[in-house]
Amino acid sequence: MQYFFQVSIDAIALGSLYALVALAIGLVFGVMRLINFAQADYITIGAYSLVAPSTAAVPALMFGALHWVPMIFMVVLTVTALALLTERLAFRPLRNTDTTTLLISSFAVSYFLQSLVLMLHGGRPKTVSIGEGLTSAVQVFGLRIPGIQLLTMTVAISLLVALVFFLKKTSMGIQLRAASENFDMARLLGVPANLVISIAFGISGILGGTISLLFVIQTGSLDVRMGLMPAVYAFFATVIGGIGSLPGAVLGGYIVGVISVFLQAYLPEDVRPFRDAVVFSIVIAILLVRPQGLFVTGGAKERV
């Protein structure tokens, strides 16, 4: 039983990360009907902003050499600025085109950012050490919980609570919710389209920068494709939760994280290398039962 609870803690921690990535993807999709595959590269850029451009195996620290408060601020600011810049240059001029064109633009932005990282840092994985004290475990009711997992769960809950407050209690948050439900109607009622979309991208950047820091502390390594699998899992999470639904994206992130960790813990050893295939098979089974996802937004009902 103790092993089950230990695995549950690991599952909730991983689910918290997926929930944050899924929320970032869901916010942008809600207002633009765009799956922004560059979200994976926002995470990667945030992680690489910790080190100076170098092709050395052990790079010199850049933001990572700062005190933790300015380091967090600079990483999150970098990714947020990047998200706003890509929205302004790559997506806003194409907003009135069809969704296929926007999707192609998203792929183009993603490959451009990957190439930028390769040009500045090379393609070899690198190691970086920040937050060493968070790798040690603490005892809670007989369970050994690494500090990074406690931090991940705390940060995820804090960001989710802050975002809920923003969406429900502020004027701009209410406008963002309205736009995610029915963007055309929201525009007719006076919601500023450019501002709302910029805010959605800005929040996705804040979440991307936060996720970058949590991943680097947890893994201690940098790789040009480090954001790819979290984004893929998060995309499946948004589909499970009901694409366009923010509560659904969060719930889907936790569902995918829990399934992934429990499969890793309980599958036979010779099957564990195929865990991802099993996870995606379960996702397909869920969608066969409920193809519209767990939550259905007003906009989704109209499209159906």
Side-chain angles (χ1 to χ4, degrees), residues 46 57 86 150 167 210 238 242:
T86 54
L150 288 175
L167 292 174
T210 304
T238 58

Side-chain angles (χ1 to χ4, degrees), residues 3 57 107 156 211 227 237 294:
Y3 179 71
F107 279 118
I211 296 161
L294 301 177

